[in-house]
Amino acid sequence: MASSRRGLLRGLAAGGLVAGAGLSLGAGPATAASRRTARQNPSWTPPSTPALAEQELFVHGNARWKLQAQLHPREYDDTRTPLVAAQHPWAMIVGCIDSRVPPELIFDQGLGDLFVSRTAGQVLDGAVLGSTAYAATKSYVKLIVVLGHQSCGAVQSAIERKDNPGTPNFPPRLEFLTDRIKDAIPPAGTPNRENLAINENIRRIRNQLLQEPEISPRVAAGTLNVIGARYELDTWIAHKIV
């Protein structure tokens, strides 16, 4: 636990959250003044590689969220006005609709930073695949994150449906979702079954995205990466699965 906290603090220091910048580590949530100072920092530039994009999300942004030291960056007029002309988001999040897992908040990012597509259980359909393909055609997008989470209701519904296939009056639209998750579910009686299903669902979706023709060449060239991650509701930490 201590080493984990030290890692979070190192990430915060690397991200500019140090004494003298308007925020003291361990002093509680960031103040409005400290957020405004940080978001005006001219030294911040969008991540230029997949590794830097991953670091910005997980080492810096989520660490700030974990410590309740969010900056809420790039929300003010100096960002809003330039974005009228163009956007250059550097990552895409393929996430769940769960109200407790909004990517911009848990990664402490702002306007113009992220493409976001959200469906229950991160289930892929034509619209999500098309949106992800669109993101992959933009050279400024460096990272695609398939983001699952603890206590996913869609996975829970898929488990219930798999265990009770004859349930009458099951909504057909919900059947669409559960059908796409059920192959990730271990057999009944498997210990830690729900968590294993959540993780496997993330891996399967990530693997499917890696096969997409707009994505795979960029991954092979090293200009884009696709990872799977999971957010823990009880610890507020997002961590890489694969």
Side-chain angles (χ1 to χ4, degrees):
M1 182 64 71
S3 62
S4 175
R5 182 171 176 82
R6 285 196 295 271
L8 289 172
L9 296 179
R10 284 196 297 271
L12 287 169
L17 290 181
V18 294
L23 175 65
S24 298
L25 292 177
T31 65
S34 69
R35 291 198 299 266
R36 195 167 183 85
T37 297
R39 62 93 181 174
Q40 290 175 326
N41 183 355
S43 66
W44 189 90
T45 56
S48 58
T49 68
L52 289 174
E54 185 175 330
Q55 184 179 61
E56 174 62 28
L57 289 178
F58 294 88
V59 178
H60 302 329
N62 181 244
R64 295 193 298 266
W65 170 261
K66 163 65 178 174
L67 296 180
Q68 300 184 72
Q70 303 96 289
L71 296 176
H72 301 287
R74 295 170 289 284
E75 293 183 358
Y76 301 90
D77 56 348
D78 59 335
T79 297
R80 296 180 191 184
T81 300
L83 285 173
V84 173
Q87 63 167 337
H88 297 91
W90 42 269
M92 177 167 185
I93 311 297
V94 178
C96 181
I97 64 170
D98 194 288
S99 64
R100 301 163 292 181
V101 195
E104 293 89 346
L105 292 184
I106 69 168
F107 290 120
D108 194 29
Q109 301 302 318
L111 296 174
D113 291 329
L114 306 176
F115 281 133
V116 177
S117 178
R118 299 176 69 180
T119 61
Q122 311 89 244
V123 165
L124 301 178
D125 62 10
V128 177
L129 287 169
S131 299
T132 310
Y134 172 80
T137 64
K138 306 301 179 182
S139 61
Y140 44 76
V141 174
K142 305 301 181 183
L143 184 68
I144 297 173
V145 181
V146 178
L147 181 64
H149 65 93
Q150 176 187 12
S151 300
C152 179
V155 171
Q156 292 167 354
S157 292
I159 292 173
E160 180 182 354
R161 185 59 172 163
K162 185 170 184 176
D163 292 348
N164 303 281
T167 304
N169 302 318
F170 197 79
R173 295 296 187 187
L174 185 53
E175 189 95 58
F176 174 86
L177 295 172
T178 58
D179 277 351
R180 281 150 184 79
I181 298 173
K182 64 183 182 182
D183 288 344
I185 301 169
T190 301
N192 204 28
R193 188 185 187 201
E194 181 180 314
N195 282 316
L196 291 174
I198 289 169
N199 293 349
E200 180 62 17
N201 187 49
I202 293 168
R203 294 188 188 97
R204 285 171 178 260
I205 294 168
R206 183 243 184 188
N207 290 340
Q208 184 175 344
L209 289 178
L210 284 171
Q211 304 305 312
E212 290 296 305
E214 294 82 10
I215 294 174
S216 56
R218 286 199 57 198
V219 172
T223 63
L224 176 71
N225 197 13
V226 182
I227 67 172
R230 171 174 165 147
Y231 177 70
E232 306 300 340
L233 300 176
D234 54 3
T235 64
W236 312 335
I237 292 176
H239 57 98
K240 188 174 177 180
I241 294 293
V242 63

